[in-house]
Amino acid sequence: MLVFILRRLIQSVVVIFLVSILVFIGVFSIGNPADILIPAEASQMERDAAIKSLGLDKPMYEQYFIFLSNAMKGDLGRSFVFNQPTISLITARMPATLELAFCALFLSLVIGIPLGMIAGYKANSLLDRTIMTGSILGFSAPTFWTAILLIMVFAVGLHWLPPSGRGQLGKILGITTSLATWDGIRHLVLPVTSLSLFKISLVTRLTRSGIRETLPMDFVKYARAKGLRKSRIVFVHVFRNVLIPIVTVVGMELGSLIAFGVVTETIYAWPGTGKLLIDSITRLDRPMIVAWLMITVMLFIVINLVVDLSYSLIDPRIRLQRKKS
């Protein structure tokens, strides 16, 4: 196991290095921040001084090596717009993004797994066809369209829920969260629902497919022959085999919820990292964009590692195979 972790860490360092080059080149090629950050009425002397202070007077390769040197010390640069360390700005917004992502993931698991198990165990029934039709709708509806529709119905039309913002915060076990207050929960409902619809559909179809593939296997027939209860066969023997693909996909989807909830955060004015990224792009805040992308890549790497390690807890056979290798 230790060898596996070390191998993955080395691979992660290589991936981060290559991604940093691609990200830096991509961001460097988009516009000139000086045209946005420096007022048009500024003199040429003031303009040159500002460009020098921002480090924009250096060639791209030199800017990259400065960034790489600072990044190895834990410094991803200072924001052009806010004049603060990018890491502190991102970490200040990250709790709101994590809250939204984990709530959406929790909702997708709580709803998607039971629906998938019902559909898989009662395949080709009316209930199965109804669930699968609903999952197709969840796949097909764009996130921005769903978000706007939810706002129009539940915020504008019925006045049941607030249309934007994070709401009042409170503390649970020392953690500041919207879940600690009723107002915060009301503000969470619409963005979480909008963000989780696609994931619910994905988990439902994945679970159904796993149930259908596992039920005809020999060990399930043997369990039935032993006279085990249907509930024990489904929830213990069958579901354990279904968990591995679910964990794989859900792990990656958690990364996508954290990284790509930009549309949802923008529509609902959710004060997370996604909205911070959009604001940084409109202002060509290069250090902020690069820092956000690098932190996002590292999140994906960490999540992927945790998913791989969790396999050995779900299925002991995977742990034995790693020992042999």
Side-chain angles (χ1 to χ4, degrees), residues 14-166:
V14 175
V15 169
I16 291 173
F17 174 70
L18 294 176
V19 169
S20 69
I21 296 176
L22 295 175
V23 166
F24 205 85
I25 293 175
V27 173
F28 189 91
S29 62
I30 301 174
N32 185 2
D35 296 335
I36 296 177
L37 298 173
I38 302 175
E41 61 272 11
S43 65
Q44 187 60 42
M45 184 178 297
E46 293 172 336
R47 182 180 177 86
D48 293 340
I51 290 174
K52 186 175 182 180
S53 66
L54 295 174
L56 298 175
D57 58 326
K58 298 179 177 64
M60 182 182 67
Y61 70 89
E62 190 173 340
Q63 291 186 41
Y64 172 73
F65 284 120
I66 292 173
F67 163 78
L68 187 62
S69 175
N70 293 332
M72 294 176 68
K73 302 173 186 176
D75 180 11
L76 294 179
R78 296 181 70 86
S79 167
F80 288 163
V81 176
F82 300 98
N83 195 28
Q84 296 181 33
T86 55
I87 292 181
S88 63
L89 289 170
I90 293 173
T91 52
R93 299 284 193 100
M94 187 59 74
T97 296
L98 292 176
E99 180 180 82
L100 195 63
F102 277 106
C103 287
L105 182 66
F106 176 77
L107 189 64
S108 66
L109 293 176
V110 168
I111 297 176
I113 290 178
L115 288 178
M117 293 185 71
I118 293 170
Y121 201 73
K122 297 184 178 294
N124 302 320
S125 65
L126 177 61
L127 187 58
D128 174 35
R129 288 194 291 269
T130 303
I131 292 174
M132 287 299 98
T133 301
S135 69
I136 292 173
L137 292 175
F139 271 123
S140 305
T143 302
F144 72 89
W145 180 84
T146 304
I148 294 172
L149 182 64
L150 290 174
I151 291 174
M152 290 178 61
V153 174
F154 295 101
V156 178
L158 299 174
H159 301 286
W160 288 356
L161 297 167
S164 62
R166 194 178 178 190

Side-chain angles (χ1 to χ4, degrees), residues 30-309:
I30 301 174
N32 185 2
D35 296 335
I36 296 177
L37 298 173
I38 302 175
E41 61 272 11
S43 65
Q44 187 60 42
M45 184 178 297
E46 293 172 336
R47 182 180 177 86
D48 293 340
I51 290 174
K52 186 175 182 180
S53 66
L54 295 174
L56 298 175
D57 58 326
K58 298 179 177 64
M60 182 182 67
Y61 70 89
E62 190 173 340
Q63 291 186 41
Y64 172 73
F65 284 120
I66 292 173
F67 163 78
L68 187 62
S69 175
N70 293 332
M72 294 176 68
K73 302 173 186 176
D75 180 11
L76 294 179
R78 296 181 70 86
S79 167
F80 288 163
V81 176
F82 300 98
N83 195 28
Q84 296 181 33
T86 55
I87 292 181
S88 63
L89 289 170
I90 293 173
T91 52
R93 299 284 193 100
M94 187 59 74
T97 296
L98 292 176
E99 180 180 82
L100 195 63
F102 277 106
C103 287
L105 182 66
F106 176 77
L107 189 64
S108 66
L109 293 176
V110 168
I111 297 176
I113 290 178
L115 288 178
M117 293 185 71
I118 293 170
Y121 201 73
K122 297 184 178 294
N124 302 320
S125 65
L126 177 61
L127 187 58
D128 174 35
R129 288 194 291 269
T130 303
I131 292 174
M132 287 299 98
T133 301
S135 69
I136 292 173
L137 292 175
F139 271 123
S140 305
T143 302
F144 72 89
W145 180 84
T146 304
I148 294 172
L149 182 64
L150 290 174
I151 291 174
M152 290 178 61
V153 174
F154 295 101
V156 178
L158 299 174
H159 301 286
W160 288 356
L161 297 167
S164 62
R166 194 178 178 190
Q168 185 179 355
L169 303 179
K171 288 196 174 183
I172 299 178
L173 301 176
I175 301 174
T176 303
T177 173
S178 305
L179 296 170
T181 66
W182 176 243
D183 181 63
I185 292 174
R186 292 179 70 247
H187 280 80
L188 265 173
V189 171
L190 290 184
V192 166
T193 303
S194 174
L195 196 58
S196 64
L197 285 178
F198 177 85
K199 312 304 178 187
I200 291 173
S201 301
L202 180 62
V203 172
T204 299
R205 298 182 74 88
L206 192 64
T207 305
R208 179 189 182 275
S209 176
I211 294 288
R212 295 303 302 157
E213 290 177 1
T214 308
L215 282 176
M217 290 185 176
D218 291 339
F219 74 90
V220 177
K221 296 177 182 178
Y222 178 69
R224 286 172 178 164
K226 286 174 61 178
L228 295 180
R229 296 190 307 272
K230 289 183 178 180
S231 59
R232 180 173 177 79
I233 293 172
V234 173
F235 291 103
V236 177
H237 297 281
V238 175
F239 185 61
R240 191 169 188 175
N241 282 268
V242 175
L243 264 183
I244 292 179
I246 291 178
V247 167
T248 304
V249 173
V250 166
M252 292 300 97
E253 290 303 313
L254 173 60
S256 69
L257 286 171
I258 295 173
F260 306 125
V262 176
V263 174
T264 302
E265 289 188 10
T266 302
I267 292 176
Y268 289 102
W270 190 261
T273 58
K275 191 172 185 303
L276 178 64
L277 174 66
I278 294 298
D279 294 339
S280 300
I281 291 174
T282 56
R283 300 176 184 181
L284 283 181
D285 193 349
R286 280 182 186 169
M288 182 62 69
I289 299 171
V290 172
W292 186 92
L293 291 171
M294 293 307 301
I295 290 175
T296 299
V297 170
M298 286 187 280
L299 276 174
F300 269 99
I301 290 173
V302 171
I303 291 171
N304 196 17
L305 179 61
V306 171
V307 167
D308 285 345
L309 293 177

